[in-house]
Amino acid sequence: MSVQWFPGHMTKAIRNIKQMLPAVDMVIECRDARIVESSHNPLIDEVIKDKPRLIVLTKKDLANPLLTEQWHKKLEIEGAVVISLNVLKDNVAKKIEQGCLLVMKEKQEKDLRRGIKPRIIRAMIMGVPNVGKSTIINRAANKKVNETANRPGVTQSLKRVKVSDTLEIVDSPGLLWPRFENQEQGMNLALCLSVKETGFEVDQVIAYGLKRLSKDYKNKIVERYQVEDISDIEQIKKNIVRITGKQENDGSMMVLRDIQNHVFGRFTWDEIIDDLQD
Ligand SMILES: Nc1nc2c(ncn2[C@@H]2O[C@H](COP(=O)(O)OP(=O)(O)OP(=O)(O)O)[C@@H](O)[C@H]2O)c(=O)[nH]1
Ligand SMILES: [Mg+2]
């Protein structure tokens, strides 16, 4: 079974976004630093076309710092304006405003030459579900204007927020697309909590997740689940129920949450093809 989640509110959101886009100057495209490629939504490219764009890599505190640096550099080499953020800790207001000003610099300078004073920048924030869009707006505005939670599909409609005298941001619902490129992409999105559990086979996703994590965290996994063979998912599920004394399903959800909540440590799911070093 492949990973899939494309609820009705997303179809509606795409329609509304298309309607509102002509009224904004630029797009803030959020991608998860742990899955820079897997959270690159082709539907967003298709919808925003050549609107100026700032790419924000979120949740950098959960990703491998070296890989985040490499992804960041790769995107810049491709010509993008990029910032990487720990949205919960960094000075989001300053960084987002600086990024947007940089993206709009050329247009504002052109306007100035024609005697037009810079107006407030109108941006729309977009990205896959749960990537941190609404949190960015709350942090930039320094108040809780949007509902946020660690599950996908929280924001369901567009909402315009003035975050400062320079910048206004439209929040939008997280978007996925009808068919992922491959199974791994879907599973990476599932492990970063961008897909609802009803959209995938939990056992398949945790087996994949533990196998990938074993590259960096084999000992920790063996210790937590008290197993020798980390591919023995049935045993792992039984053990986690016994060890914690709790029961959610047959233990599969607890293992899924372990991975999604990074109990083993930081991890970047999208590897980078190393073409930067030559
Ligand atoms: N560790 C960490 N957590 C973050 C970061 N940014 C956001 N979060 C958390 O991620 C979760 C999702 O944040 P939201 O702002 O609701 O995400 P969203 O993109 O608006 O999600 P939808 O509205 O469902 O599309 C929340 O629990 C945030 O606290 C970050 O940089 N680091
Ligand atoms: Mg939201």
Side-chain angles (χ1 to χ4, degrees):
M1 191 189 126
S2 57
V3 179
Q4 207 189 19
W5 189 50
F6 198 69
H9 82 262
M10 290 190 195
T11 313
K12 194 166 152 230
I14 294 164
R15 225 178 19 241
N16 293 341
I17 285 168
K18 280 183 177 164
Q19 255 172 22
M20 193 150 190
L21 266 174
V24 302
D25 305 303
M26 61 172 286
V27 168
I28 301 170
E29 185 203 354
C30 297
R31 296 198 207 166
D32 189 313
R34 298 166 293 173
I35 50 169
V36 175
E37 192 61 53
S38 300
S39 62
H40 178 194
N41 184 344
L43 197 69
I44 293 181
D45 288 346
E46 195 185 304
V47 170
I48 70 179
K49 302 198 174 71
D50 49 9
K51 259 257 173 233
R53 130 168 54 175
L54 169 70
I55 298 183
V56 181
L57 304 184
T58 62
K59 308 199 181 187
K60 76 168 185 187
D61 53 308
L62 304 177
N64 175 326
L66 201 69
L67 290 175
T68 304
E69 206 182 301
Q70 290 183 2
W71 276 113
H72 189 123
K73 212 185 279 173
K74 185 177 194 300
L75 292 170
E76 280 183 342
I77 290 170
E78 288 166 6
V81 180
V82 190
I83 54 177
S84 309
L85 289 179
N86 170 351
V87 182
L88 308 181
K89 291 259 166 74
D90 289 342
N91 188 340
V92 174
K94 187 168 156 213
K95 290 201 171 180
I96 288 283
E97 192 164 305
Q98 280 175 345
C100 289
L101 281 167
L102 191 60
V103 168
M104 294 307 296
K105 189 166 176 250
E106 228 174 277
K107 165 135 197 324
Q108 290 195 333
E109 282 175 358
K110 199 166 135 201
D111 282 352
L112 265 178
R113 282 197 299 274
R114 290 158 59 206
I116 304 166
K117 276 208 222 137
R119 302 185 274 105
I120 189 165
I121 296 173
R122 295 163 304 181
M124 185 183 289
I125 197 159
M126 294 176 76
V128 296
N130 201 46
V131 69
K133 301 176 294 297
S134 303
T135 310
I136 288 181
I137 297 180
N138 287 349
R139 297 271 288 127
N142 199 22
K143 54 184 176 219
K144 193 174 182 305
V145 276
N146 293 321
E147 194 198 337
T148 64
N150 200 12
R151 57 184 159 82
V154 174
T155 305
Q156 301 228 334
S157 57
L158 300 183
K159 182 174 172 186
R160 192 161 57 187
V161 178
K162 187 175 174 201
V163 301
S164 71
D165 289 339
T166 333
L167 183 63
E168 183 181 285
I169 308 179
V170 179
D171 196 8
S172 76
L175 296 180
L176 291 170
W177 55 108
R179 208 178 296 269
F180 300 128
E181 196 139 308
N182 52 49
Q183 288 230 359
E184 274 207 1
Q185 182 171 43
M187 292 195 285
N188 290 340
L189 285 159
L191 290 169
C192 292
L193 250 161
S194 287
V195 182
K196 211 170 168 174
E197 286 95 62
T198 50
F200 57 90
E201 192 80 61
V202 175
D203 281 6
Q204 187 194 355
V205 169
I206 59 180
Y208 161 80
L210 292 176
K211 183 161 174 242
R212 291 286 313 278
L213 285 170
S214 67
K215 190 173 141 253
D216 294 349
Y217 300 113
K218 177 97 194 286
N219 293 343
K220 280 191 175 173
I221 296 170
V222 167
E223 199 184 317
R224 173 144 177 91
Y225 301 125
Q226 296 171 9
V227 284
E228 279 310 315
D229 177 7
I230 65 143
S231 66
D232 190 349
I233 296 301
E234 286 312 314
Q235 193 62 49
I236 286 175
K237 291 193 308 190
K238 273 195 206 123
N239 289 4
I240 192 74
V241 171
R242 179 174 48 79
I243 295 161
T244 58
K246 292 187 206 146
Q247 181 125 22
E248 200 184 336
N249 294 357
D250 53 354
S252 53
M253 285 309 293
M254 286 193 271
V255 179
L256 180 67
R257 295 293 177 233
D258 275 357
I259 306 176
Q260 290 172 329
N261 295 334
H262 290 261
V263 294
F264 303 111
R266 306 160 78 122
F267 195 77
T268 295
W269 300 98
D270 274 344
E271 278 161 353
I272 187 157
I273 316 287
D274 209 354
D275 53 1
L276 293 169
Q277 260 138 42
D278 16 283

